[in-house]
């Protein structure tokens, strides 16, 4: 129960699922920009707590080693839909909380779905069955995961900045012409 006191959930019976629509970047960029994809991450208090614990481990390892450190694992808690079906398409650095009863007429079948855990954030990645393209979400910061883990109110329809605390102090890309066109 000590973890409950810290605000993190312990594994219990059926938990409320929080559906978060996160924009993606597709590589190579799709010819039809109107056909972008949105990742729908399905989180519970327990899942968010697990991700935060893994993030602490990654952060500790990264502090001892020089360079970027990332933990990747296969993840079946995310699915991808055409952006027009996400109800309110999130902006480039935003996510949208969807209703738990969210349904979609189309799910895009992608393979090798992975979650990438880095210090302070998570991302989701996958590619299409023919290996023609890959998608990567923007970073979803640790504060968002903490809010889910604590059971804070994330109401359907809320649009929040996903990267508020995850962006580096210095720009990651310097003089990369065309980068804005590749980011949804």
């Amino acid at each position: 129960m000590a973890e409950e006191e810290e605000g993190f959930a312990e594994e219990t019976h059926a938990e409320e699922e929080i559906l978060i629509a996160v924009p993606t970047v597709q590589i190579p960029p799709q010819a039809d920009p109107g056909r972008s994809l949105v990742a729908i991450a399905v989180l519970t208090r327990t899942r968010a707590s697990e991700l935060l614990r893994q993030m602490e481990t990654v952060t500790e390892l990264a502090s001892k080693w020089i360079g970027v450190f990332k933990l990747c694992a296969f993840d079946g808690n995310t699915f991808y839909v055409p952006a027009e079906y996400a109800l309110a398409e999130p902006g480039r650095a935003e996510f949208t909380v969807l209703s738990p009863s969210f349904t979609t007429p189309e799910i895009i079948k992608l393979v090798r779905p992975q979650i990438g855990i880095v210090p302070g954030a998570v991302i989701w990645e996958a590619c299409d069955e023919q290996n023609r393209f890959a998608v990567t979400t923007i970073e979803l910061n640790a504060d968002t995961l903490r809010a889910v883990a604590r059971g804070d109110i994330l109401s359907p329809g809320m649009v929040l900045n996903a990267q508020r605390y995850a962006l580096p102090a210095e720009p990651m890309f310097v003089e990369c012409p065309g980068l804005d066109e590749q980011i949804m």
Side-chain angles (χ1 to χ4, degrees), residues 88-109:
E89 185 176 342
R92 184 168 102 165
E94 298 173 334
F95 68 88
T96 303
V97 179
L98 301 175
S99 167
S101 61
F102 170 79
T103 60
T104 179
E106 182 180 6
I107 294 177
I108 304 299
K109 183 155 174 55

Side-chain angles (χ1 to χ4, degrees), residues 3-10 15-16 18 20 43-53 141-154:
E3 296 212 44
E4 276 292 351
E5 292 169 13
E6 288 181 33
F8 297 130
E10 287 187 12
E15 290 185 90
E16 179 183 4
I18 306 292
I20 298 180
L43 297 172
T44 62
R45 291 182 68 187
T46 299
R47 179 70 174 142
S49 296
E50 291 169 355
L51 292 172
L52 286 165
R53 281 192 284 279
N141 69 48
D143 287 341
T144 303
L145 292 174
R146 277 189 206 92
V148 172
R150 287 190 307 253
D152 290 354
I153 297 173
L154 293 174

Side-chain angles (χ1 to χ4, degrees), residues 43-114:
L43 297 172
T44 62
R45 291 182 68 187
T46 299
R47 179 70 174 142
S49 296
E50 291 169 355
L51 292 172
L52 286 165
R53 281 192 284 279
Q54 293 302 320
M55 195 177 293
E56 289 171 6
T57 301
V58 169
T59 302
E60 181 182 337
L61 289 170
S63 71
K64 295 176 183 176
W65 295 357
I66 296 175
V68 177
F69 199 90
K70 176 179 164 184
L71 174 67
C72 289
F74 286 103
D75 183 51
N77 295 316
T78 304
F79 59 96
Y80 297 84
V81 301
E84 64 264 22
Y85 298 135
L87 303 181
E89 185 176 342
R92 184 168 102 165
E94 298 173 334
F95 68 88
T96 303
V97 179
L98 301 175
S99 167
S101 61
F102 170 79
T103 60
T104 179
E106 182 180 6
I107 294 177
I108 304 299
K109 183 155 174 55
L110 297 178
V111 296
R112 298 190 303 276
Q114 294 186 24

